[in-house]
Short mmCIF file of all heavy atoms in Angstrom, two decimals:
data_model
loop_
_atom_site.label_atom_id
_atom_site.label_comp_id
_atom_site.label_asym_id
_atom_site.label_seq_id
_atom_site.Cartn_x
_atom_site.Cartn_y
_atom_site.Cartn_z
N GLY T 1 -8.73 -10.70 24.46
CA GLY T 1 -7.88 -11.75 24.96
C GLY T 1 -6.63 -11.93 24.10
O GLY T 1 -5.55 -12.19 24.57
N SER T 2 -6.81 -11.76 22.73
CA SER T 2 -5.69 -11.83 21.84
C SER T 2 -4.69 -10.70 22.12
O SER T 2 -3.49 -10.86 22.11
CB SER T 2 -6.12 -11.73 20.41
OG SER T 2 -6.95 -12.88 20.09
N VAL T 3 -5.26 -9.46 22.36
CA VAL T 3 -4.39 -8.28 22.59
C VAL T 3 -3.65 -8.49 23.93
O VAL T 3 -2.46 -8.22 24.02
CB VAL T 3 -5.19 -7.01 22.64
CG1 VAL T 3 -4.46 -5.84 23.15
CG2 VAL T 3 -5.72 -6.68 21.21
N PHE T 4 -4.43 -8.97 24.92
CA PHE T 4 -3.72 -9.24 26.26
C PHE T 4 -2.63 -10.26 26.10
O PHE T 4 -1.57 -10.22 26.72
CB PHE T 4 -4.71 -9.70 27.30
CG PHE T 4 -5.67 -8.58 27.82
CD1 PHE T 4 -6.91 -8.86 28.25
CD2 PHE T 4 -5.28 -7.22 27.66
CE1 PHE T 4 -7.75 -7.88 28.73
CE2 PHE T 4 -6.09 -6.20 28.14
CZ PHE T 4 -7.35 -6.51 28.63
N GLY T 5 -2.87 -11.36 25.33
CA GLY T 5 -1.88 -12.31 25.10
C GLY T 5 -0.61 -11.87 24.45
O GLY T 5 0.49 -12.23 24.83
N VAL T 6 -0.82 -11.03 23.41
CA VAL T 6 0.31 -10.44 22.74
C VAL T 6 1.14 -9.57 23.67
O VAL T 6 2.39 -9.59 23.71
CB VAL T 6 -0.09 -9.73 21.42
CG1 VAL T 6 1.03 -8.86 20.83
CG2 VAL T 6 -0.59 -10.72 20.38
N ILE T 7 0.44 -8.68 24.43
CA ILE T 7 1.08 -7.78 25.33
C ILE T 7 1.80 -8.57 26.38
O ILE T 7 2.94 -8.32 26.70
CB ILE T 7 0.02 -6.85 26.00
CG1 ILE T 7 -0.51 -5.85 25.00
CG2 ILE T 7 0.70 -6.12 27.22
CD1 ILE T 7 -1.61 -5.06 25.48
N ALA T 8 1.24 -9.67 26.92
CA ALA T 8 1.91 -10.49 27.98
C ALA T 8 3.11 -11.18 27.37
O ALA T 8 4.20 -11.28 27.96
CB ALA T 8 0.90 -11.49 28.45
N SER T 9 3.05 -11.62 26.10
CA SER T 9 4.17 -12.35 25.46
C SER T 9 5.27 -11.34 25.19
O SER T 9 6.44 -11.67 25.65
CB SER T 9 3.73 -12.93 24.15
OG SER T 9 2.74 -13.89 24.31
N LEU T 10 5.04 -10.25 24.70
CA LEU T 10 6.10 -9.28 24.37
C LEU T 10 6.66 -8.68 25.61
O LEU T 10 7.94 -8.64 25.73
CB LEU T 10 5.61 -8.20 23.44
CG LEU T 10 5.25 -8.64 22.07
CD1 LEU T 10 4.67 -7.47 21.18
CD2 LEU T 10 6.44 -9.16 21.35
N SER T 11 5.85 -8.26 26.56
CA SER T 11 6.41 -7.69 27.77
C SER T 11 7.10 -8.72 28.57
O SER T 11 8.15 -8.48 29.24
CB SER T 11 5.28 -6.97 28.58
OG SER T 11 4.28 -7.94 28.96
N GLY T 12 6.66 -10.01 28.61
CA GLY T 12 7.38 -11.01 29.24
C GLY T 12 8.78 -11.37 28.67
O GLY T 12 9.69 -11.57 29.37
N LEU T 13 8.82 -11.26 27.31
CA LEU T 13 10.11 -11.46 26.70
C LEU T 13 11.05 -10.31 27.03
O LEU T 13 12.23 -10.55 27.32
CB LEU T 13 9.92 -11.58 25.17
CG LEU T 13 9.46 -12.92 24.66
CD1 LEU T 13 9.23 -12.81 23.08
CD2 LEU T 13 10.43 -13.99 24.97
N TYR T 14 10.61 -9.08 26.95
CA TYR T 14 11.46 -7.97 27.34
C TYR T 14 11.82 -8.05 28.81
O TYR T 14 13.05 -7.75 29.21
CB TYR T 14 10.77 -6.60 26.96
CG TYR T 14 10.90 -6.31 25.58
CD1 TYR T 14 9.85 -6.43 24.66
CD2 TYR T 14 12.15 -5.89 25.05
CE1 TYR T 14 10.02 -6.23 23.34
CE2 TYR T 14 12.24 -5.58 23.70
CZ TYR T 14 11.21 -5.71 22.88
OH TYR T 14 11.31 -5.43 21.48
N LEU T 15 10.94 -8.36 29.68
CA LEU T 15 11.20 -8.54 31.07
C LEU T 15 12.34 -9.58 31.34
O LEU T 15 13.18 -9.37 32.11
CB LEU T 15 9.91 -8.89 31.90
CG LEU T 15 10.03 -9.03 33.33
CD1 LEU T 15 10.24 -7.71 34.05
CD2 LEU T 15 8.77 -9.67 33.86
N SER T 16 12.16 -10.69 30.63
CA SER T 16 13.16 -11.73 30.74
C SER T 16 14.49 -11.35 30.23
O SER T 16 15.60 -11.75 30.81
CB SER T 16 12.64 -13.05 30.03
OG SER T 16 12.86 -12.87 28.62
N TYR T 17 14.52 -10.56 29.19
CA TYR T 17 15.80 -10.11 28.68
C TYR T 17 16.53 -9.08 29.60
O TYR T 17 17.66 -9.29 29.97
CB TYR T 17 15.64 -9.47 27.30
CG TYR T 17 16.90 -8.87 26.74
CD1 TYR T 17 17.96 -9.69 26.30
CD2 TYR T 17 17.08 -7.47 26.66
CE1 TYR T 17 19.12 -9.15 25.76
CE2 TYR T 17 18.18 -6.97 26.18
CZ TYR T 17 19.28 -7.74 25.73
OH TYR T 17 20.42 -7.24 25.26
N TYR T 18 15.76 -8.12 30.00
CA TYR T 18 16.37 -7.04 30.84
C TYR T 18 16.71 -7.40 32.30
O TYR T 18 17.53 -6.88 32.90
CB TYR T 18 15.55 -5.74 30.72
CG TYR T 18 15.61 -5.06 29.45
CD1 TYR T 18 14.57 -5.01 28.58
CD2 TYR T 18 16.87 -4.49 29.05
CE1 TYR T 18 14.64 -4.39 27.38
CE2 TYR T 18 16.98 -3.86 27.86
CZ TYR T 18 15.89 -3.82 26.91
OH TYR T 18 15.96 -3.19 25.79
N LEU T 19 15.87 -8.35 32.87
CA LEU T 19 16.07 -8.82 34.19
C LEU T 19 16.79 -10.14 34.32
O LEU T 19 16.93 -10.74 35.38
CB LEU T 19 14.76 -8.81 34.91
CG LEU T 19 14.04 -7.43 35.07
CD1 LEU T 19 12.68 -7.56 35.81
CD2 LEU T 19 14.93 -6.42 35.75
N ASP T 20 17.06 -10.76 33.16
CA ASP T 20 17.78 -12.05 33.10
C ASP T 20 16.92 -13.16 33.70
O ASP T 20 17.47 -13.99 34.55
CB ASP T 20 19.17 -12.04 33.66
CG ASP T 20 20.03 -13.22 33.27
OD1 ASP T 20 19.75 -13.70 32.15
OD2 ASP T 20 20.94 -13.53 33.97
N PHE T 21 15.58 -13.15 33.53
CA PHE T 21 14.72 -14.21 33.99
C PHE T 21 14.38 -15.15 32.82
O PHE T 21 14.62 -14.77 31.64
CB PHE T 21 13.36 -13.63 34.41
CG PHE T 21 13.41 -12.77 35.66
CD1 PHE T 21 12.39 -11.82 35.95
CD2 PHE T 21 14.38 -12.85 36.58
CE1 PHE T 21 12.43 -11.07 37.07
CE2 PHE T 21 14.43 -12.08 37.76
CZ PHE T 21 13.39 -11.20 37.99
N PRO T 22 13.94 -16.35 33.22
CA PRO T 22 13.51 -17.31 32.10
C PRO T 22 12.30 -16.68 31.40
O PRO T 22 11.45 -16.06 32.01
CB PRO T 22 13.08 -18.58 32.87
CG PRO T 22 13.67 -18.41 34.21
CD PRO T 22 13.86 -17.00 34.52
N SER T 23 12.17 -16.88 30.09
CA SER T 23 11.16 -16.20 29.31
C SER T 23 9.75 -16.76 29.63
O SER T 23 8.76 -15.92 29.67
CB SER T 23 11.41 -16.39 27.83
OG SER T 23 11.45 -17.71 27.43
N GLY T 24 9.55 -18.04 29.80
CA GLY T 24 8.21 -18.65 30.09
C GLY T 24 7.52 -18.04 31.29
O GLY T 24 6.45 -17.49 31.29
N PRO T 25 8.21 -18.18 32.47
CA PRO T 25 7.61 -17.58 33.69
C PRO T 25 7.42 -16.11 33.58
O PRO T 25 6.49 -15.55 34.22
CB PRO T 25 8.65 -17.92 34.78
CG PRO T 25 9.34 -19.17 34.27
CD PRO T 25 9.40 -18.97 32.75
N SER T 26 8.34 -15.39 32.89
CA SER T 26 8.10 -13.91 32.72
C SER T 26 6.85 -13.63 31.96
O SER T 26 6.10 -12.66 32.28
CB SER T 26 9.35 -13.32 31.98
OG SER T 26 10.56 -13.51 32.69
N MET T 27 6.57 -14.39 30.90
CA MET T 27 5.32 -14.20 30.18
C MET T 27 4.09 -14.46 31.02
O MET T 27 3.15 -13.77 30.99
CB MET T 27 5.38 -15.06 28.88
CG MET T 27 6.27 -14.60 27.82
SD MET T 27 6.03 -15.68 26.42
CE MET T 27 7.67 -15.98 25.92
N ALA T 28 4.19 -15.58 31.80
CA ALA T 28 3.09 -15.89 32.67
C ALA T 28 2.89 -14.91 33.75
O ALA T 28 1.68 -14.51 34.11
CB ALA T 28 3.30 -17.28 33.28
#
């Protein structure tokens, strides 16, 4: 669960940066 949470957080941040989405919904 910790690994999945870290992966979701980092990939969500990168997704939000490259696609110009809000970071919270991208992480979710």
Side-chain angles (χ1 to χ4, degrees):
S2 298
V3 169
F4 289 156
V6 168
I7 291 170
S9 298
L10 292 177
S11 61
L13 281 175
Y14 280 103
L15 182 70
S16 73
Y17 174 72
Y18 287 112
L19 299 178
D20 198 27
F21 290 160
S23 61
S26 297
M27 288 186 225

